[in-house]
Amino acid sequence: MNNRLRELRAVRRWSQADLADRLDVSRQTINAVETGRYDPSLPLAFKIAELFSLPIESLFSPGADDTGQPQ
Amino acid sequence: MTTSEEKRLSQSDLLRRRADRRAMALPMAGFFAATVSAFAFAPNGGKSTWSVILWLSPIIFVLWCVLAGVKSFRRADEYQQRVQLEAMAVGFAATMITTTVFLLLEAAPIKVSGVLSSDPGGLAWAAGYAGWMGTIWFRSRAAR
């Protein structure tokens, strides 16, 4: 899964810790989502979308490996 | 380039860390006190009931630590919980593999010496703990 988290965060000049504070998660989680090592749960994805006032589909898009098949 | 501001802990990290320290302080102190008491007052190799009770008393505090660990797991966010689960799976596998190696060596006519033969339980424990902590370290290295 690809996401625009780093880009949107940079526009607002927030650090990873600032964003983590706003989402009530650890900085480690923000780092993992930004670097694509972790896809957030739906509740967290909706929380991120709400924070940036954007629809969820404009934040996250399927990556090359996402076939939509259960693993 | 990342700055110190970028590297600071989030409020969620700080609150969790404080809560974990508070929850672990008493059981860890109890474990230490019970272990020291066993060494001080129970004869090493003694077979009396009192001696056995003293040597096993730290287990109560280990169980207390486990409860504190479960609560810490519940306080963690979703990514941290996933890292913890993976780390525990690796630690469990390391313990099982080490134990299996000892069982196979015991079954085979191979003489082993040193720590391998004198303390297999301790080595299996150390392998599990190293697997657990090593995985947490490896999985969180990018965020440090």
Side-chain angles (χ1 to χ4, degrees), chain A residues 18-50:
Chain A
D18 292 333
L19 181 56
D21 284 344
R22 285 169 168 85
L23 295 169
D24 196 27
V25 295
S26 65
R27 189 174 61 76
Q28 194 184 359
T29 301
I30 298 298
N31 186 281
V33 173
E34 280 190 357
T35 51
R37 284 181 291 114
Y38 176 66
D39 294 331
S41 66
L42 265 182
L44 181 57
F46 275 112
K47 216 169 165 183
I48 296 169
E50 193 185 344

Side-chain angles (χ1 to χ4, degrees), chain B residues 2 8 12 15 25 50 62 92 100 116 118 130 136:
Chain B
T2 52
R8 82 173 166 83
S12 151
L15 289 174
W50 172 238
V62 172
F92 175 75
T100 308
L116 274 174
S118 66
I136 290 177

Side-chain angles (χ1 to χ4, degrees), chain A residues 9 14-18 20-21 24-29 31-32 34 37-41 44, chain B residues 5-13 15 77-80 82-83 136 139-144:
Chain A
R9 181 172 65 78
W14 291 344
S15 66
Q16 286 183 345
D18 292 333
D21 284 344
D24 196 27
V25 295
S26 65
R27 189 174 61 76
Q28 194 184 359
T29 301
N31 186 281
E34 280 190 357
R37 284 181 291 114
Y38 176 66
D39 294 331
S41 66
L44 181 57
Chain B
E5 169 65 13
E6 178 79 4
K7 291 276 182 187
R8 82 173 166 83
L9 294 173
S10 71
Q11 276 302 309
S12 151
D13 285 319
L15 289 174
D77 69 25
E78 56 186 59
Y79 177 69
Q80 289 173 323
R82 185 174 134 160
V83 169
I136 290 177
R139 294 282 298 186
S140 57
R141 73 196 187 289
R144 278 193 293 271

